[in-house]
Structures are given as C-alpha cells and as structure tokens.
C-alpha cells in the first residue's frame, strides 16, 4: 500500500476489470452485494483462472462469473455467486472445499465443489482489520510521529489510506494449508489469513518483509519451502515443515528485475518462476540458487502446468504456449492457430487440456494435445467447448 509502490498496470488490467476509484466511506460497494448475473455464453466470457476440484473443473472470471464442468469441459454450468466483481484466482483443497478471490477484496468459499459460493471477506473488512492491527502495533511502541520513515508510522499511514480509499484493491492468489487455514494476498502487499473457514481474519502485512508494499501476484510451495512472489521481482521465502506463519518469511535477493506472475513446482523437485517479457527462472531443488532459462517469447507468461508425462507448459499474455520436456531447463514454442491472452490452464480428467483467457475457454482433446506436443506436430487447433 506504500505510495512508493508501483503496480504493474498491464498485469492488473488483464487479471481484473476496472473497479471504482471513489466510493462512499464505509459503504459496501454494490458489486459485493449483487449476485452475478446469468450469462448466455459463459465459455466465451473473460475467464481469469481454472482449477480442478476432484473430477470437476471450475473456472472463474469477470463480474463474478464461475462455471463448472463434470464431463472434462464439454458442457458447463454457471454457479451461484453472491458478488459481481471479477474473480482472479480459484483453488480447491479437495473435491468439495474451495476458495476464490478477486476485486474489491472479495474472498469466496464453497463446500459443494464450486456449485454455490459464500462471501466470507471483503475489502472494507480488510481495511478495518489492517488499521486495527497497525494501530495496535503502533500503540505497543509509540514511535515518535516525527520519524516519518519509522516502519510502524508507515504501516499506520498505509492502513489509514487503505480505509480512506475503500474496497478498491484486488486479492490475486490463495494459499491453502494442510490444517485448513488459508492465506490470501494481493495488491499493495495485502495479506490476510484465516484459520476457521473464513469466519475471522488476521492482517499479516506487518509480519511480511515487504516495506515498499509491492504487489503479491502469487503463492507457491515446494516440499518444505514456501514463496510469495510478485511485483518487480519481489520474492519472500520461508522454510520448514508445513505452511509457516507470516513472520517466518524472509526477503530474498531478487532473481528478476521484472514482475513475477506465476510459479510451478515440478514433480522432480524443481521450481519454476515466470513473468514479465517471457522471463523464466528455475531452482533445481529446495535451497538451490535460481538460474535464468531462455524462452522463445517476449510477452508475459501468466500460467503453467505439468502434464502426466512430465512435460511442462507455460502460457502467456500474447496467446503463446511454450513447452519443456527436461524439467524446465529448456523451452520451445508450440505452434498455435488460436492466439489470444491466456490466463490459466488445467488438465481434464480425460487427459485433455482446458485453457482460460480473455476470449473465454478453449479445450484441447487428448488427441489434439498429443499432436500439438509431437516433435513435428501440425499446428494445434483448439476446440470450442459446448455451451450449457
């Protein structure tokens, strides 16, 4: 939230639709109270993320749109959602319990595999909690107000600004812990956790070493390491058994100058970070240094997944897909007929590939995916999914 922070405008524009800059103080925005409207062609809408929930797949996008499929992406159903803000990320702990986050600090929870959702947190509550936590920390020390750069003075100023600006900041990712607790992170260094299914929340900004208030674009976990990553190469790391408390994270020397938009832990123990202008960084094992990996693209990479045969796919903002068959050490471009900004990808239960993007949802059948990955394969052609 610091005024020194500079958001990657292009990335946030892609991940979340515009939100009001001015709203009545203390008033919950209408978009956080208004249910998502029924969409005639939901698979053609702007979709921002997709995740597996057991055998089901769930995709989220603009204006509170959530859709799910139980037949590997051939037919889709629109879910019941209590908000109409754009949703930027979705994750499931199992086939029934899942979370989604989005604009205006919206946090949603489902216990029926994504068919219906409940709002459990929002930007106004987040702002109030941030100010309360900052005030308590300030009162415990009472630093000299003349020390403008004192961390607690800056924390309090940022929290008060957060309250004044209202619910206008998005959350961008969710971390799920084995004990059922969650961590949500987003713009201007916002970070909140809940250990009781979203009934209560705790502000974590004070405990994270991010004095400039850089945006967190994501959360990643590899064996006994956890990472927060984001704007201008921001990278925080914690090590140890289980998901750590926020205070366990330490700032890392940034392996990148540009923003990091995604991370992918691989089966062999490597971790791949990717982001601005096709940048890819790889750490071979926990604690290993980062090495830059060349890619044949110069547009931002936003999403990735590893296939059952260990092939790694990274997808980007210009509709590009790059593949690696050596655990992320080298990448080659896949020839694509269909190109528009891709935002997410997931493997369907039948082995097909589903991709979300600004023009909706595309499905690659198992046979089409196999041909696309063949060394001399023909240009990949996606199949539009059936409309519900």
């Amino acid at each position: 939230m610091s005024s020194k922070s500079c958001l990657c405008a292009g990335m946030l524009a892609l991940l979340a639709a515009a939100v009001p800059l001015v709203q009545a103080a203390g008033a919950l925005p209408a978009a956080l109270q208004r249910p998502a409207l029924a969409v005639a062609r939901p698979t053609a809408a702007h979709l921002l993320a997709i995740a597996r929930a057991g055998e089901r797949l769930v995709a989220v996008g603009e204006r509170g749109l959530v859709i799910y499929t139980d037949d590997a992406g051939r037919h889709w159903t629109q879910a019941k959602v209590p908000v109409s803000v754009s949703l930027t990320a979705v994750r499931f702990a199992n086939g029934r319990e899942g979370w989604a986050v989005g604009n205006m600090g919206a946090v949603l929870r489902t216990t029926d595999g994504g068919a219906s959702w409940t709002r459990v947190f929002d930007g106004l509550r987040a702002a109030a909690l941030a100010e309360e936590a900052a005030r308590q920390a300030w009162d415990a020390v009472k630093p000299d107000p003349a020390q403008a750069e004192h961390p607690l003075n800056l924390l309090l100023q940022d929290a008060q600004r957060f309250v004044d600006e209202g619910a206008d900041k998005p959350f961008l990712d969710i971390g799920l812990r084995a004990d059922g607790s969650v961590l949500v992170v987003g713009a201007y260094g916002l970070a909140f956790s809940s250990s009781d299914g979203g009934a209560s929340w705790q502000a974590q900004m004070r405990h994270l070493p991010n004095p400039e208030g850089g945006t967190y674009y994501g959360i990643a976990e590899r064996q006994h390491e956890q990472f927060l990553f984001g704007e201008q190469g921001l990278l925080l790391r914690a090590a140890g058994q289980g998901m750590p408390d926020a205070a366990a994270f330490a700032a890392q020397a940034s392996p990148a100058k540009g923003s990091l938009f995604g991370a992918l832990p691989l089966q062999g123990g490597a971790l791949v970070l990717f982001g601005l202008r096709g940048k890819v960084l790889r750490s071979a094992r926990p604690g290993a240094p980062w090495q830059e990996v060349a890619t044949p693209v110069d547009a931002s990479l936003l999403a990735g997944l590893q296939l059952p045969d260990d092939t790694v796919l990274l997808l980007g903002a210009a509709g590009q897909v790059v593949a690696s068959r050596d655990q992320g050490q080298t990448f080659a471009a896949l020839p694509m007929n269909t190109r528009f900004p891709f935002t997410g990808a997931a493997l369907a239960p039948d082995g097909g590939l589903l991709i979300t993007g600004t023009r909706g949802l595309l499905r690659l059948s198992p046979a089409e995916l196999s041909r696309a990955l063949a060394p001399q394969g023909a240009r990949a052609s996606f199949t539009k999914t059936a409309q519900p």
Side-chain angles (χ1 to χ4, degrees), residues 35 38 44 49 57 62 67 118 121 125 154 164 172 179-180 189 217 221-222 250 265 287 297 337 349 354 356 370:
L57 289 114
E62 63 180 358
I67 57 176
T118 301
F121 200 44
R125 289 179 61 192
L154 292 175
D164 292 341
L172 300 173
D179 63 2
Y217 287 119
E221 181 176 5
R222 171 181 59 178
V297 298
N337 280 335
L354 297 175
T356 57
S370 179

Side-chain angles (χ1 to χ4, degrees), residues 224-271:
H224 302 314
E225 285 184 317
Q226 293 79 36
F227 296 89
L228 300 179
F229 57 87
E231 180 183 9
Q232 297 182 353
L234 174 66
L235 187 64
L236 310 183
R237 176 182 178 268
Q241 296 282 346
M243 288 295 287
D245 293 329
F249 282 91
Q252 301 292 291
S254 180
K257 294 181 180 179
S259 294
L260 299 168
F261 298 140
L264 184 63
L266 304 183
Q267 290 295 328
L271 178 66

Side-chain angles (χ1 to χ4, degrees), residues 30-259:
L32 287 173
Q33 305 179 66
R34 182 176 58 242
L37 297 176
V39 177
R41 298 181 62 227
T43 58
H46 186 165
L47 296 170
L48 293 165
I50 186 170
R52 282 280 292 269
E55 295 297 292
R56 174 175 288 181
L57 289 114
V58 180
V60 304
E62 63 180 358
R63 298 184 179 89
L65 178 63
V66 178
I67 57 176
Y68 61 92
T69 176
D70 293 317
D71 62 1
R74 296 172 182 84
H75 301 87
W76 294 79
T77 301
Q78 185 171 350
K80 297 178 181 179
V81 180
V83 301
S84 53
V85 298
S86 291
L87 300 173
T88 57
V90 59
R91 293 188 185 273
F92 281 83
N94 51 52
R96 299 192 63 82
E97 298 178 6
W99 299 78
V101 296
N103 280 3
M104 297 185 179
V107 181
L108 309 181
R109 183 170 182 249
T110 180
T111 57
D112 59 8
S116 62
W117 297 77
T118 301
R119 174 169 53 83
V120 295
F121 200 44
D122 60 67
L124 287 188
R125 289 179 61 192
L129 282 178
E131 184 178 40
E132 179 184 359
R135 176 63 65 184
Q136 290 176 350
W138 194 93
D139 286 343
V141 177
K142 289 187 170 56
D144 185 348
Q147 294 180 290
E149 297 301 313
H150 190 286
L152 291 180
N153 284 332
L154 292 175
L155 184 72
L156 185 58
Q157 292 168 15
D158 283 346
Q160 291 171 336
R161 187 180 304 113
F162 188 10
V163 171
D164 292 341
E165 292 172 349
D168 67 342
K169 299 170 183 63
F171 287 125
L172 300 173
D173 203 6
I174 317 122
L176 306 182
R177 300 179 177 180
D179 63 2
S181 61
V182 299
L183 175 68
V184 298
V185 298
Y188 299 101
L190 296 182
F192 295 84
S193 64
S194 175
S195 58
D196 54 12
S200 63
W201 293 83
Q202 295 76 44
Q204 299 294 346
M205 287 79 77
R206 178 194 174 197
H207 305 296
L208 293 168
N210 183 9
E212 298 297 317
T215 289
Y216 299 115
Y217 287 119
I219 302 171
E221 181 176 5
R222 171 181 59 178
Q223 297 180 16
H224 302 314
E225 285 184 317
Q226 293 79 36
F227 296 89
L228 300 179
F229 57 87
E231 180 183 9
Q232 297 182 353
L234 174 66
L235 187 64
L236 310 183
R237 176 182 178 268
Q241 296 282 346
M243 288 295 287
D245 293 329
F249 282 91
Q252 301 292 291
S254 180
K257 294 181 180 179
S259 294

